[in-house]
Amino acid sequence: MMKMLSLLLLALLLSCTKSIYHVATVQSEQVKFVDKDFVFENEHLKVVYNLWEPGGRMRFLLFNKTDQPIYIDWGKSKLIRNDTTVSYSQLPPLPKRASTDTVRYMYRSEYVEPYRMTARANRVAEIPSQTFVAVADFPIQQAVLDKKTNQKNFTYTKENSPLRLGQQLTYSFDKEGTNAHTLAHSFWVNQIQVVGISELTRLFGSRKTGQPNALYTVESRPEEGRTVILGVGIALGGSILVTYILLKALFSNLFI
């Protein structure tokens, strides 16, 4: 007589996935892509942007071109994301042990020290004469917009772009902010390309360094043509019968 008939195990469902990259390229009326730099320059400052990171980051280098210190007034400087504007000095401070960036600052083969006096919780920061400083603790937090899409390319205008960014930097030549100057830069996503890792590398360079006027998000998708293994254990009497069933299927049919 059968003492027990029960399902003991439905284990081992191996589903291999692949990463799909949604790479958003940004355009600006003030900042231009010149000699692999995404850059703006006036008589006082050179601003070199690099937004490349998962989700994007408002990362930029500031070079004081003058022979005297420049003071950035973070309280009057603003970060803009779509219709939301926040003063840089109002952003919450980072945890003490938080990493402020994932990229080692290299500019024209030289290392640039990340700026320790960042905008968060600081009012005024000094940039010494003829000096580059790096600012990078403002994540953009872009998300995947079209999951499971088969479309490879999306284009946008400034008016219908899904992501519009901007920043306003206020600076002067003294700590009191006398005769302040303002830089206002605006950006918008004008193209999103949906690619695999090989195409990302071919079009934008390595995943680590990428292209400075672009950012990306990552979507995990089931990979097609893989084998799924189902392990089913059934106890009959006092013995255990283990049956492994191999199923061959396209993951796109299983999950989409």
Side-chain angles (χ1 to χ4, degrees), residues 72-77 89 117-125:
I72 304 295
D73 187 339
W74 292 118
K76 295 181 180 179
S77 299
S89 62
M117 282 282 291
T118 60
R120 294 174 183 266
N122 293 287
R123 180 57 187 270
V124 177

Side-chain angles (χ1 to χ4, degrees), residues 25 33 46 115 132 153 183 191 245:
T25 305
F33 193 64
K46 183 176 184 178
Y115 206 32
F132 257 121
N153 191 48
L183 294 181
Q191 183 180 36
I245 305 173

Side-chain angles (χ1 to χ4, degrees), residues 137-179:
D137 45 359
F138 314 117
I140 296 170
Q141 298 179 331
Q142 173 72 345
V144 174
L145 297 179
D146 297 282
K147 294 182 178 180
K148 300 182 180 180
T149 181
N150 290 322
Q151 188 171 336
K152 297 295 184 180
N153 191 48
F154 299 82
T155 57
Y156 305 96
T157 65
K158 184 178 180 180
E159 290 68 32
N160 70 1
S161 175
L163 178 64
R164 298 180 305 279
L165 301 169
Q167 77 162 339
Q168 175 181 305
L169 293 177
T170 300
Y171 68 94
S172 61
F173 292 94
D174 60 70
K175 293 182 180 180
E176 289 70 35
T178 307
N179 298 321

Side-chain angles (χ1 to χ4, degrees), residues 52-69:
W52 185 265
E53 186 169 296
R57 183 178 289 269
M58 183 59 75
R59 175 196 298 112
F60 52 95
L61 308 181
L62 295 174
F63 179 68
N64 180 355
K65 298 169 58 178
T66 74
D67 295 325
Q68 54 186 315

Side-chain angles (χ1 to χ4, degrees), residues 198-213:
S198 59
E199 194 171 6
L200 178 141
T201 302
R202 179 176 63 83
L203 293 174
F204 299 97
S206 74
R207 185 173 56 179
K208 182 178 180 180
T209 58
Q211 190 167 298
N213 64 329

